[in-house]
Amino acid sequence: MDDDKKFRDLYQVWMRIINKLNESEKLPRNFGIDQLISPSDIHLLQAIGDNPESNGRNISEILGITPGAASQQLTKLSKRGLITKVRGQKNEKEISLKLTPLGKTAYDNHAIIHEKVYQKIINRIGLLSPDELCMLERVLIAVESVYDERIEEVRESLSLCGRKSSKCQPRELNT
């Protein structure tokens, strides 16, 4: 099998994974508290728990989401009693984020689930050598950067023709 065919086959696997992740992101879960939490919300809690004293901008960068989206999610999590927003002592405009006891319980239970997932993956592929880990890192970083570029291309195309116009021919199809 030539490299191009193999790459296309691997890309199809990647697309299936993305579709499954998208489906999984729609399903709220129980993380040991009296409310269901969406995957995007639990990952926001994870980012806060892993990065104490962080703020909305830090969290948006960590998760690769817009600051506006992070702000909306943070407000929702605060209203649900999962996080608190603490004003800085030196600068009142500075707000740091903290998990509440309820948020910490969900965070801890999520960490247990992630560990089980990691172990399943490791059990299926075996331990990777340092060279294999470096290669995997290169692949994932390359995929992320290609999708970052693709998102920007699509956003630019949509802004050129107006988002709601069904008659718009995206620039990429006109060339």
Side-chain angles (χ1 to χ4, degrees), residues 8 32 36 38 49 53 100 111 119 135 142-143 146 150 165 169-170:
R8 288 179 191 281
L36 295 177
S38 72
E53 307 299 319
T100 64
Q119 287 306 313
M135 175 58 79
V143 169
V146 167
R150 184 70 185 123
S165 173
Q169 288 294 315

Side-chain angles (χ1 to χ4, degrees), residues 65-164:
I65 60 177
T66 65
S71 177
Q72 287 179 353
Q73 278 185 275
L74 291 169
T75 297
K76 185 172 67 170
L77 292 176
S78 178
K79 288 179 181 176
R80 291 175 66 187
L82 298 169
I83 65 166
T84 57
K85 297 177 179 180
V86 180
R87 295 219 178 265
Q89 292 177 342
K90 294 179 184 176
N91 180 352
E92 290 263 334
K93 289 184 179 182
E94 218 175 89
I95 294 176
S96 61
L97 305 166
K98 294 185 187 286
L99 297 176
T100 64
L102 194 63
K104 177 81 166 97
T105 297
Y107 168 85
D108 290 340
N109 287 320
H110 176 253
I112 292 167
I113 292 167
H114 262 238
E115 187 58 36
K116 288 178 182 176
V117 169
Y118 299 150
Q119 287 306 313
K120 282 183 180 183
I121 293 169
I122 290 168
N123 290 340
R124 291 186 187 168
I125 64 173
L127 293 176
L128 299 176
S129 71
D131 286 345
E132 290 171 321
L133 286 170
C134 284
M135 175 58 79
L136 182 58
E137 180 180 37
R138 280 183 46 217
V139 168
L140 294 176
I141 289 170
V143 169
E144 180 183 29
S145 69
V146 167
Y147 274 92
D148 285 343
E149 290 168 11
R150 184 70 185 123
I151 289 166
E152 285 307 309
E153 289 169 3
V154 171
R155 283 183 178 147
E156 182 180 320
S157 175
L158 289 171
S159 69
L160 289 174
C161 63
R163 284 186 183 269
K164 298 187 180 186

